[in-house]
Amino acid sequence: MADIHPSAVIADGAQIGADCVIGPFCVIGKDVVLGDRVTLKSHVVVDGDTHIGDDTVVFSFAVIGEIPQDLKFDGEKTRLRIGARNRIREHVTMNTGTANGGGETRVGDDGLFMAGCHIAHDAQVGDRVIVVNSSAVAGHCIIEDDVIIGGLCGVHQHVRIGQGAIIGAVTMVTKDVVPHGLVQGPRGVLDGLNLVGLKRKGVSRADITALRAAFQMLRDGEGTFQDRANRQADESDSAYVQQMVAFILGDTDRNFLTPG
C-alpha cells in the first residue's frame, strides 16, 4: 500500500504503484504512472504523460514531466519515460518531448541527477549516467551509458556523448564526444581517454592499450577524422576500438570534438 501524505494532490487517473511514498505537498498529474516503491520526498511536481520506474527517488522541488522549453511546442501529446532506481535530486527539471523530436524524452536506469540539473525535450539518456549539479542537457541530445557530466556544464542540442565518456566541470560541449573520451576546458576539448573510468570498469589492459593507440591515430594520423576512424576499423580487433569507430561513423547532426 502506498504511503501518501494528506497534503499531496493526486489527480484522478494517476497510477501509483505498490509501496510508493508520496511526501508533503507533492502534485501528481492525471497521466502520471509511478512504478513500485517510488519515493517523492516533498514539494515534487510530476505532470504530463510521465512514467517513473521502480525504486526511483525524487527529491524536493524537482519538476518532472512539464512541457518542453521550446517555442515551437503547441500543446501536442508527448512523453517522458524514466527508468528504475534513479536518484533525482533537488530542483532537477526533466521535460517531455516534442512532436518534431520524436515525441519522447527518455532516461534509463540507475542514474544520478544532482541538484539543479536539466534534461531537455527529446533527450535520450542511457543507464548509469551521472549529471552533476547545475548542468544542462539540451534538446535532442543522446547521452549513452556510463557517461559523467561534470558540474556547471552545458551540452548543446543534438550532441551525442558516447558510452563511458567524462565531461569535466564548467565545460560547454558543442560537438559529439567519442566513447570513453575525456573532455575539458571552457569550450570543450577532447583531451584524452577516461582511463580512470575504464580501469574502474575492469577493462583489460589489452583493450586500454588498443584504445590509447587508436586515440593517438585519431589525433595524429593523416586524412580526415572519419578517414582515420575507417583505418582503425581495419587495423584493430578490440571491441572497444570498434565501438568508438562505429560511433564516429554513425549518423550525427554535429561535428566531432577531435583530439587536441
Side-chain angles (χ1 to χ4, degrees):
M1 178 178 291
D3 180 2
I4 301 173
H5 193 274
S7 64
V9 178
I10 302 176
D12 292 342
Q15 300 179 44
I16 309 299
D19 301 317
C20 286
V21 177
I22 311 299
F25 304 106
C26 292
V27 178
I28 301 175
K30 65 182 179 60
D31 295 319
V32 171
V33 177
L34 302 184
D36 296 340
R37 299 174 301 281
V38 170
T39 296
L40 309 182
K41 289 283 191 174
S42 73
H43 298 85
V44 174
V45 175
V46 186
D47 205 357
D49 183 355
T50 298
H51 293 191
I52 299 179
D54 297 349
D55 300 299
T56 290
V57 180
V58 186
F59 287 73
S60 301
F61 303 104
V63 180
I64 309 300
E66 264 292 1
I67 64 171
Q69 298 178 76
D70 184 338
L71 292 175
K72 298 185 298 298
F73 182 74
D74 194 30
E76 57 267 25
K77 183 75 168 178
T78 58
R79 303 169 298 282
L80 170 63
R81 299 292 183 262
I82 299 172
R85 299 177 301 280
N86 287 287
R87 297 295 178 266
I88 300 173
R89 295 304 303 254
E90 297 83 355
H91 298 280
V92 169
T93 54
M94 296 183 177
N95 294 159
T96 57
T98 63
N100 291 332
E104 182 170 290
T105 307
R106 180 169 291 274
V107 174
D109 300 332
D110 300 299
L112 172 57
F113 301 88
M114 296 189 190
C117 73
H118 175 62
I119 306 298
H121 58 86
D122 307 296
Q124 306 295 304
V125 180
D127 299 336
R128 300 175 299 280
V129 168
I130 298 174
V131 183
V132 181
N133 304 68
S134 301
S135 289
V137 175
H140 314 283
C141 289
I142 297 174
I143 312 297
E144 294 189 349
D145 297 346
D146 304 303
V147 167
I148 298 174
I149 298 173
L152 298 168
C153 289
V155 183
H156 193 282
Q157 63 184 1
H158 295 286
V159 159
R160 297 183 302 150
I161 300 181
Q163 181 175 359
I166 185 168
I167 312 300
V170 199
T171 295
M172 181 65 194
V173 183
T174 59
K175 299 179 181 179
D176 289 356
V177 178
V178 297
H180 313 293
L182 166 63
V183 173
Q184 55 188 348
R187 294 299 294 183
V189 175
L190 183 59
D191 205 27
L193 295 171
N194 182 14
L195 296 174
V196 172
L198 289 165
K199 291 173 182 176
R200 286 177 177 171
K201 191 178 177 181
V203 176
S204 71
R205 183 183 296 272
D207 279 317
I208 291 176
T209 299
L211 274 172
R212 296 182 77 166
F215 185 85
Q216 182 89 5
M217 173 62 75
L218 290 170
R219 183 180 65 189
D220 299 329
E222 296 180 355
T224 67
F225 194 60
Q226 281 73 15
D227 290 339
R228 299 173 210 168
N230 273 314
R231 285 200 294 276
Q232 288 301 307
D234 297 332
E235 295 174 4
S236 178
D237 59 2
S238 166
Y240 286 87
V241 173
Q242 293 298 327
Q243 177 194 32
M244 184 180 290
V245 168
F247 185 91
I248 293 169
L249 300 179
D251 292 335
T252 181
D253 292 317
R254 310 292 298 175
N255 292 320
F256 280 89
L257 287 178
T258 55

